């Protein structure tokens, strides 16, 4: 049997070809050809083994026609040159999708007779955050059933709408005994995140909401469990934001949030409570200032540390520190505040938080002292103090000629390689691109090691600015 076709015996029994057929049959291996998907380079010339069959000429011509654009002004243009970037395509697609969904759901489904279709349209618009006058108007008219009314109100909250009708529905949900605590908590979160910041005055609907929130907060003596999922904590947050101008609501929210600040270990919860206590309730309690210090020193989140620094700027502690009974206590607290802020200038891992610390020194009139002490520590005999001073100068942005000259001299003669690395980083931050700095960095590149690598990076960053 010389053929590679499988032999058919009695009763349609199929037998495989003989093992020696591959020596005589020239069609072996050409039964099911495959396209070439890898480039063999010189492998075929060396081994004479073709792993895959190459594309035919028609396929190559077809692929080239797809990737080319018709000629324009006598020149062939590559199709990839006229295709927008991926970010632009994604933005265009999202805008088209939003407008398409808005037209479909608002014009058709929101006006449908079926409640289920209206409910689906409302939830879709809420998830896409497609908000316009037409959408808000149609969502406000969804009153066919209680479930649809609640969903439409939640969608309006997500879109930032907080009129009297929305507040009334929120009051009904928070006062209802049939609604579970998790639903109430999520509803309050939507009010805090999207709608309540747009409120400027305490209307009758908001006052009724505050009374309801006050009853929720007073229903327990202390918050148990995780405050983030606790209805009483979220109610106190909303009460402090909405009722900050009413003394009766103010005191209830303030006591509850201050108790949470003292007891919780969650830095995010503490940051949220501190923001309401300081910015909305206007607390002048020294323990709240110490809580900000604790956030700056021990929080694992750079956002919480930066948030506490922003609160110190908004708070202006110097104003109420001067009202302390003892002058000694006032001086001790002022010194503690300065040391906390100055430590953030060099000990902070996030450059954004270090920039906020520099802003705090400017707002609280501490910049002059911080600059003077940093320049003085540049000449210290301790490596740690010199390192802290170098980083602080870069954070504060001190671009004096005398300071830059001192940094250049330290880069030449300092004994610590780690200090030299940070001096080069500080020079890069200050954009000190004079000829002496560039020559010195070019000489450091040849040393190799960490200093050489850092010098090459700094040199590459400073050369464009010098040209």
């Amino acid at each position: 049997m010389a053929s590679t076709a499988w032999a058919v015996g009695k009763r349609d029994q199929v037998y495989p070809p003989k093992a020696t057929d591959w020596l005589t049959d020239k069609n072996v291996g050409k039964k099911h050809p495959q396209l070439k998907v890898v480039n063999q380079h010189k492998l075929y010339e060396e081994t004479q083994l073709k792993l895959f069959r190459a594309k035919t000429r028609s396929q190559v011509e077809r692929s080239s026609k797809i990737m080319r654009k018709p000629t324009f002004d006598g020149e062939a243009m590559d199709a990839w040159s006229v295709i927008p970037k991926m970010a632009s395509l994604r933005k265009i697609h999202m805008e088209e999708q939003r407008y398409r969904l808005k037209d479909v759901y608002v014009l058709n489904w929101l006006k449908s007779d079926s409640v289920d279709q209206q409910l689906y349209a409302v939830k879709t618009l809420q998830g896409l955050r497609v908000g316009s006058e037409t959408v808000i108007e149609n969502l406000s008219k969804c009153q066919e059933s209680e479930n649809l009314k609640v969903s439409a109100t939640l969608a309006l909250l997500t879109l930032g709408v907080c009129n009297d009708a929305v507040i009334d529905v929120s009051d009904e949900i928070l006062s209802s005994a049939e609604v579970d605590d998790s639903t109430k908590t999520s509803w309050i979160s939507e009010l805090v995140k999207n709608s309540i910041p747009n409120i400027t005055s305490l209307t009758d609907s908001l006052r009724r909401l505050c009374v309801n929130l006050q009853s929720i907060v007073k229903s327990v003596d202390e918050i148990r469990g995780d405050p983030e999922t606790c209805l009483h904590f979220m109610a106190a947050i909303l009460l402090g934001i909405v009722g900050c101008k009413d003394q009766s609501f103010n005191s209830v929210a303030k006591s509850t949030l201050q108790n949470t600040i003292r007891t919780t270990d969650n830095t995010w919860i503490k940051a949220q409570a501190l923001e309401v206590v300081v910015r909305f309730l206007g607390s002048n309690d020294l323990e709240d200032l110490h809580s900000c210090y604790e956030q700056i020193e021990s929080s694992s989140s750079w956002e919480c540390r930066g948030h506490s620094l922003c609160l110190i700027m908004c708070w202006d502690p110097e104003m109420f520190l001067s009202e302390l009974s003892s002058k000694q206590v006032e001086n001790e607290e002022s010194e503690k505040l300065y040391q906390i802020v100055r430590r953030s200038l060099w000990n902070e891992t996030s450059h954004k938080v270090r920039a906020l610390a520099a802003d705090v020194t400017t707002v609280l009139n501490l910049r002059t002292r911080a600059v003077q002490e940093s320049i003085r520590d540049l000449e210290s005999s301790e490596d740690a103090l010199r390192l802290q001073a170098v980083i602080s100068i870069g954070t504060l942005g001190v671009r004096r000629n005398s300071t830059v000259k001192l940094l250049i001299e330290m880069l030449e003669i300092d004994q610590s390689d780690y200090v030299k690395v940070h001096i080069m980083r500080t020079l890069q931050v200050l954009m000190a691109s004079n000829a002496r700095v560039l020559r010195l960095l070019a000489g450091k590149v040849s040393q190799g090691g960490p200093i050489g690598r850092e010098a090459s990076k700094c040199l590459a960053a400073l050369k464009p600015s010098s040209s």
Side-chain angles (χ1 to χ4, degrees):
M1 185 170 58
S3 177
T4 57
W6 287 36
V8 180
K10 296 179 180 180
R11 298 181 181 178
D12 295 336
Q13 293 180 353
V14 181
Y15 301 97
K18 294 182 179 179
T20 57
D21 285 348
W22 67 275
L23 296 174
T24 58
D25 193 355
K26 297 181 180 181
N27 295 323
V28 175
K30 298 182 180 180
K31 195 71 175 176
H32 302 286
Q34 297 180 359
L35 293 178
K36 183 178 180 181
V37 295
V38 295
N39 192 353
Q40 294 179 242
H41 298 288
K42 296 183 180 181
L43 183 62
Y44 175 71
E45 299 177 0
E46 295 176 358
T47 61
Q48 296 298 319
L49 295 175
K50 185 178 293 187
L51 302 180
F52 303 97
R53 193 181 72 170
K55 288 184 178 180
T56 62
R57 184 177 180 181
S58 60
Q59 292 171 334
V60 176
E61 291 177 354
R62 191 182 306 114
S63 61
S64 63
K65 290 180 181 179
I66 293 174
M67 299 305 298
R68 302 293 291 178
K69 188 184 177 183
T71 57
F72 181 74
D73 291 341
E75 296 182 0
M77 297 178 61
D78 192 353
W80 291 110
S81 62
V82 298
I83 295 179
K85 294 183 179 180
M86 202 63 198
S88 302
L89 287 174
R90 191 180 300 112
K91 184 178 180 181
I92 294 172
H93 173 71
M94 290 178 63
E95 292 296 329
E96 290 180 352
Q97 183 185 30
R98 287 189 177 189
Y99 283 112
R100 180 174 58 83
L101 288 174
K102 182 184 70 174
D103 294 338
V104 170
Y105 292 118
V106 171
L107 300 180
N108 296 329
W109 286 36
L110 277 179
K111 296 180 180 180
S112 174
D113 296 333
S114 174
V115 178
D116 293 337
Q117 289 184 354
Q118 294 182 8
L119 184 62
Y120 183 76
V122 166
K123 292 184 177 180
T124 303
L125 291 174
Q126 177 187 353
L128 292 174
R129 294 180 180 270
V130 181
S132 64
E133 295 181 0
T134 307
V135 175
I136 294 173
E137 181 181 357
N138 283 274
L139 287 175
S140 302
K141 296 179 180 178
C142 295
Q143 306 289 335
E144 281 74 8
S145 65
E146 188 66 25
N147 190 13
L148 180 61
K149 179 180 178 181
V150 172
S151 300
T153 304
L154 185 60
L156 290 172
L157 285 177
T158 307
L159 297 177
V161 179
C162 194
N163 49 29
D164 291 341
V166 173
I167 295 298
D168 291 338
V169 174
S170 302
D171 192 16
E172 292 177 4
I173 291 175
L174 295 178
S175 59
S176 176
E178 299 177 356
V179 181
D180 57 344
D181 290 351
S182 61
T183 304
K184 294 180 180 180
T185 304
S186 60
W187 195 278
I188 292 176
S189 299
E190 290 294 334
L191 283 169
V192 172
K193 289 187 296 184
N194 301 302
S195 302
I196 290 300
N198 300 330
I199 295 175
T200 57
S201 60
L202 192 61
T203 61
D204 294 337
S205 300
L206 288 175
R207 190 172 295 277
R208 289 194 297 270
L209 177 64
C210 290
V211 173
N212 192 3
L213 292 171
Q214 187 177 17
S215 62
I216 294 176
V217 174
K218 288 183 176 180
S219 60
V220 293
D221 296 333
E222 60 180 359
I223 296 176
R224 300 179 180 87
D226 187 6
E228 188 175 8
T229 59
C230 183
L231 175 62
H232 307 89
F233 172 73
M234 296 304 300
I237 290 288
L238 184 58
L239 181 62
I241 296 175
V242 178
C244 57
K245 296 182 180 180
D246 193 304
Q247 186 62 33
S248 59
F249 302 142
N250 190 324
S251 58
V252 174
K254 186 176 180 180
S255 60
T256 303
L257 294 176
Q258 284 182 338
N259 184 32
T260 304
I261 293 171
R262 309 290 186 270
T263 56
T264 185
D265 295 331
N266 191 325
T267 57
W268 292 95
I269 296 300
K270 188 178 293 186
Q272 191 174 4
L274 278 172
E275 181 176 5
V276 177
V277 168
V278 174
R279 294 185 58 188
F280 292 93
L281 302 180
S283 173
N284 289 333
D285 196 341
L286 195 60
E287 293 186 6
D288 295 332
L289 180 61
H290 291 168
S291 299
C292 289
Y293 294 164
E294 184 181 355
Q295 285 280 88
I296 296 172
E297 291 181 335
S298 61
S299 177
S300 59
S301 172
W302 68 269
E303 294 179 352
C304 293
R305 298 193 298 269
H307 176 265
S308 297
L309 287 171
C310 290
L311 288 181
I312 290 177
M313 281 192 292
C314 300
W315 203 352
D316 192 8
E318 295 291 341
M319 182 179 297
F320 72 86
L321 287 180
S322 60
E323 300 176 357
L324 295 176
S325 58
S326 174
K327 188 67 176 179
Q328 182 179 359
V329 176
E330 177 185 350
N331 294 335
E332 290 177 356
E333 292 297 332
S334 299
E335 182 65 22
K336 186 176 182 179
L337 171 63
Y338 170 74
Q339 296 298 334
I340 290 289
V341 175
R342 192 186 175 213
R343 182 181 178 85
S344 299
L345 293 174
W346 57 268
N347 191 44
E348 181 58 51
T349 57
S350 173
H351 69 279
K352 295 182 180 179
V353 181
R354 291 200 301 269
L356 285 174
D359 295 338
V360 172
T361 58
T362 303
V363 172
L364 300 183
N365 298 324
L366 302 174
R367 178 181 172 83
T368 303
R369 180 184 174 185
V371 170
Q372 292 176 354
E373 292 187 0
S374 298
I375 295 175
R376 183 194 62 193
D377 290 342
L378 289 176
E379 301 177 356
S380 175
S381 59
E382 299 182 11
D383 295 346
L385 289 179
R386 294 199 307 275
L387 177 63
Q388 296 169 13
V390 168
I391 300 175
S392 298
I393 286 175
T395 304
L396 293 169
V398 183
R399 292 179 174 84
R400 301 176 185 173
N401 293 332
S402 58
T403 305
V404 175
K405 183 179 179 180
L406 182 57
L407 290 174
I408 295 173
E409 294 176 356
M410 291 178 62
L411 183 58
E412 293 177 346
I413 63 176
D414 200 280
Q415 299 178 355
S416 174
D417 292 344
Y418 195 56
V419 175
K420 289 182 180 180
V421 168
H422 280 278
I423 289 174
M424 289 185 283
R425 293 177 180 175
T426 300
L427 291 174
Q428 180 179 346
V429 171
L430 299 178
M431 299 304 292
S433 57
N434 55 58
R436 183 180 177 184
V437 173
L438 296 178
R439 286 196 303 267
L440 183 59
L441 292 175
K444 295 292 183 182
V445 172
S446 59
Q447 293 185 7
I451 295 180
R453 291 192 296 269
E454 191 65 34
S456 62
K457 295 178 184 178
C458 186
L459 193 63
L462 292 178
K463 272 187 176 181
S465 62
S466 62
S467 59

